Amino acid sequence: TQSTRPQRLLSAVQKNATRGDPCSVVKAIDQFCRSKEWAMNVGDEKGCILDSVVSELNPTTVLELGTYCGYSTVRIANLLPPHAKLITLEFNPDFAAIARQVIAWSGLEEKVQLVEGASGDLIPKIKQDFGVQTFDLVFLDHWKDRYLPDTKLMEACGLLRKGSILLADNVICPGTPDYLEYVRSSPRYESQYFKSHLEYTKVEDGLEKSVFLG
Ligand SMILES: Cc1ncnc2c1ncn2[C@@H]1O[C@H](/C=C/CNC(=O)c2cc(-c3ccc(F)cc3)cc(O)c2O)C[C@H]1O
Ligand SMILES: [Mg+2]
């Protein structure tokens, strides 16, 4: 039977990256996506902006919406201090299975909790089921029409505190117009756009960093 692109991405990691070395896993995926098959990872250029936001914030609790193959999961978890936790939500079981293996290859399982399911169903359960009260950082990279409803849901569930940071991928391409309008016009957020390019291309894209003001 034909392999899928995520399966081929995982094979490239297992072939070209060193077990337990997160940087080699990130490099192997970027090399695969540049030279073999494009895939919707945040990528190396926007990944550097993600790294700088994480490093500056030094978060203890991180939520990622949309694991896919685990590329940004590994990038973020690699920068977390000891005992910090990254919860990542993925509703496609095939993607989740690949991501678990990519995360395991990088040796970062202790820092990551991958939960299978739809963000809209899981977000209301996080406080009671995962022992997290609020998130220092949320990385949004799932279906683009879910960014806004899930942000409002996180607000309603009390998962954001004064100073929580939302970092959203793809605010230009494919674009998240309703989310951008919301975080840029709401008095409850202070937003900043980081201009970059769509992963592995010259097309404009960027990340929007929004601080929740409480
Ligand atoms: C609601 C919900 N809950 C849990 N997991 C969810 C979810 N919605 C999606 N997911 C999971 O996240 C992943 C989906 C991510 C969606 N990302 C995208 O659609 C996406 C698309 C592009 C793109 C740009 C230009 C082009 F020409 C073509 C594609 C680039 C990107 O960086 C992207 O993140 C996989 C999916 O199973
Ligand atoms: Mg993306």
Side-chain angles (χ1 to χ4, degrees), residues 31-149:
Q31 188 191 331
F32 173 78
C33 292
R34 278 194 183 286
S35 58
K36 300 279 186 349
E37 301 184 61
W38 187 92
M40 59 182 176
N41 315 118
V42 73
D44 43 0
E45 191 181 321
K46 288 186 288 180
C48 284
I49 301 168
L50 170 63
D51 290 355
S52 59
V53 170
V54 175
S55 304
E56 185 191 344
L57 185 64
N58 222 3
T60 307
T61 54
V62 183
L63 176 64
E64 176 179 62
L65 304 178
T67 317
Y68 187 41
C69 296
Y71 174 90
S72 48
T73 319
V74 169
R75 274 200 95 111
I76 296 168
N78 185 38
L79 296 172
L80 295 183
H83 316 304
K85 280 290 289 179
L86 164 54
I87 295 175
T88 183
L89 310 183
E90 174 56 57
F91 67 23
N92 180 311
D94 300 325
F95 295 160
I98 296 293
R100 290 188 199 285
Q101 296 172 80
V102 168
I103 294 158
W105 199 267
S106 68
L108 291 167
E109 308 93 307
E110 278 71 46
K111 292 195 157 104
V112 177
Q113 184 166 8
L114 195 165
V115 186
E116 283 185 49
S119 52
D121 300 334
L122 291 171
I123 285 170
K125 297 189 178 123
I126 285 175
K127 277 190 194 270
Q128 72 196 52
D129 292 359
F130 304 108
V132 171
Q133 291 313 307
T134 59
F135 287 104
D136 301 324
L137 172 68
V138 181
F139 181 55
L140 299 94
D141 195 19
H142 57 337
W143 291 155
K144 308 315 162 192
D145 62 3
R146 290 299 312 174
Y147 283 27
L148 182 53

Side-chain angles (χ1 to χ4, degrees), residues 144-162:
K144 308 315 162 192
D145 62 3
R146 290 299 312 174
Y147 283 27
L148 182 53
D150 283 349
T151 297
K152 290 182 173 172
L153 187 57
M154 288 186 286
E155 289 173 15
C157 295
L159 288 169
L160 305 179
R161 47 113 180 131
K162 192 171 166 39

